[in-house]
Amino acid sequence: MPETNTSRKGPELEETLKEYFWQAGYFAVRGVPFRLEDEDVTDVDVWLYERPAALSRRRLIVDAKNQTKPKAAERLIWARGLQSALNVDGAIVASTDKRPSSHRLAKSVEVTLLDGDAINKLASAPKLKLGDIHSSEEYDDLFKAVDAARRNAEWRTALLAARSSLLTNFGIQSANMALRAAGFFAEQTILAAPKSNQAQVALRGFYSTCAYAAIGLDFVLADLAFQSHEDRRAALITGVRYGNTNVREALMPVRTAIGLVRQHASNGGSVAAQVERGFDHQAGRVPAEIIAEYVARLSATDALYIVARELERNAFKSGSVISML
């Protein structure tokens, strides 16, 4: 059954808002799943990341509803609650509602309201038309098609896991998850037939997940800005290797577990030493120094942010991705 015009209103508004904020200089992602203990709770229509200054970072969520009978009050309260749950810096609701009471409620709950007048202006702006850029639905459908041909959901799962981490583990942990996904898509690019559809889609996934890793690392740099280059490098190595930039906090659970083995296991001393050596050896195999050395030099620049935006935009461009290399 073909989609009706009504069923397309929501996604079209979300895509318009994504493009509006993208052109305003934000890093914008549509359809970010919010997962709690591997359960899908909801999704964020548009997730925004901003780097207004060297030491400032902002994350915002956008809830977009293009409905004939708007329920702005419900959406404003919902968005405010989700903002609190995700611990982000702000929330925006886009609704066709134009009532003054909705604006008063928005001010009361400290949520920005884009009303019907603002939506109409955005919808009619020609510069916000996508042109040679895939919509988010079209982009995700590329990965669904590959999974359907392979009879599994591996590619889509890898992409959504990296995207979901932007909400709940943003920073060094989301960067690590995105790097793992980038490694997966890089391997798939190499394994696929040259210039095949699978190679094209895998490269798009590699671009997007690298972009997610870059903004996660950019977020981490804000907290490391006043440290020396060597301290930043050491913190990043620890973060990439263990998921926490503070080495004591990162290793505390491991050291506690090893201590329990030493205390309670038979031949605890030798077993604990063997576990510790194995853990250190495995952690040492993670090539964290390569990433840390590069990222540590960029603390005072917006290079990671710029690279992330370029990678994400190239991932979504229609046509051959390989020809863009």
Side-chain angles (χ1 to χ4, degrees):
M1 179 181 294
E3 286 185 304
T4 65
N5 185 53
T6 302
S7 68
R8 287 294 305 158
K9 285 182 178 179
E12 287 175 359
L13 175 59
E14 292 174 24
E15 206 63 55
T16 298
L17 289 167
K18 176 188 171 183
E19 186 63 19
Y20 168 75
F21 284 109
W22 190 276
Q23 292 186 21
Y26 291 81
F27 186 96
V29 184
R30 261 195 68 202
V32 183
F34 175 33
R35 292 173 173 168
L36 192 61
E37 295 182 356
D38 296 326
E39 180 181 350
D40 288 332
V41 178
T42 184
D43 72 321
V44 171
D45 293 336
V46 186
W47 179 86
L48 303 174
Y49 178 72
E50 181 188 22
R51 191 185 194 278
L55 301 180
S56 300
R57 309 288 191 274
R58 295 181 72 228
R59 291 168 293 157
L60 303 98
I61 56 173
V62 182
D63 179 61
K65 292 294 178 287
N66 193 359
Q67 299 172 329
T68 305
K69 295 181 179 180
K71 299 179 180 179
E74 176 185 306
R75 304 317 303 174
L76 287 165
I77 294 171
W78 183 89
R80 184 65 181 89
L82 188 58
Q83 175 194 344
S84 178
L86 297 176
N87 193 29
V88 295
D89 302 293
I92 300 169
V93 169
S95 170
T96 53
D97 199 323
K98 301 180 182 179
R99 292 174 295 179
S101 59
S102 296
H103 283 277
R104 289 194 296 271
L105 178 60
K107 185 176 181 180
S108 174
V109 298
E110 298 181 326
V111 173
T112 301
L113 175 63
L114 298 177
D115 65 11
D117 291 332
I119 289 174
N120 290 335
K121 290 179 181 178
L122 291 175
S124 61
K127 69 176 184 178
L128 298 182
K129 306 304 179 184
L130 293 181
D132 65 342
I133 302 297
H134 282 302
S135 70
S136 293
E137 285 83 10
E138 292 169 342
Y139 184 74
D140 287 356
D141 283 346
L142 296 173
F143 293 83
K144 289 179 182 178
V146 171
D147 279 342
R150 293 163 57 92
R151 298 184 179 180
N152 60 41
E154 196 173 21
W155 288 33
R156 175 89 167 138
T157 298
L159 180 65
L160 289 183
R163 194 180 290 171
S164 177
S165 70
L166 299 174
L167 291 182
T168 52
N169 298 292
F170 190 62
I172 195 63
Q173 292 184 24
S174 70
N176 284 345
M177 292 185 71
L179 287 170
R180 284 195 292 271
F184 167 78
F185 284 118
E187 182 180 18
Q188 297 302 313
T189 303
I190 295 169
L191 293 175
K195 299 185 179 180
S196 66
N197 178 65
Q198 286 198 7
Q200 295 271 345
V201 177
L203 191 55
R204 291 181 189 276
F206 177 73
Y207 282 176
S208 277
T209 50
C210 282
Y212 300 160
I215 58 171
L217 291 169
D218 178 75
F219 187 74
V220 172
L221 284 179
D223 291 332
L224 304 177
F226 292 110
Q227 297 187 18
S228 68
H229 171 80
E230 284 304 316
D231 287 342
R232 281 198 305 274
R233 180 178 178 276
L236 288 165
I237 290 174
T238 301
V240 172
R241 192 161 280 164
Y242 304 113
N244 191 320
T245 55
N246 184 302
V247 66
R248 291 185 63 184
E249 292 180 7
L251 294 178
M252 185 179 297
V254 177
R255 300 307 179 208
T256 300
I258 291 173
L260 290 172
V261 171
R262 181 177 290 110
Q263 183 177 357
H264 298 291
S266 300
N267 299 319
S270 60
V271 173
Q274 184 178 358
V275 171
E276 187 170 15
R277 285 195 301 271
F279 174 81
D280 290 342
H281 175 72
Q282 188 172 3
R285 293 174 60 187
V286 177
E289 292 84 358
I290 298 172
I291 295 173
E293 184 61 42
Y294 175 74
V295 173
R297 296 199 304 266
L298 304 178
S299 178
T301 74
D302 58 355
L304 280 175
Y305 188 69
I306 292 172
V307 166
R309 279 174 48 86
E310 289 179 352
L311 285 169
E312 181 75 347
R313 183 49 45 128
N314 282 330
F316 275 76
K317 282 186 177 179
S318 56
S320 172
V321 186
I322 294 175
S323 65
M324 300 174 194
L325 293 175

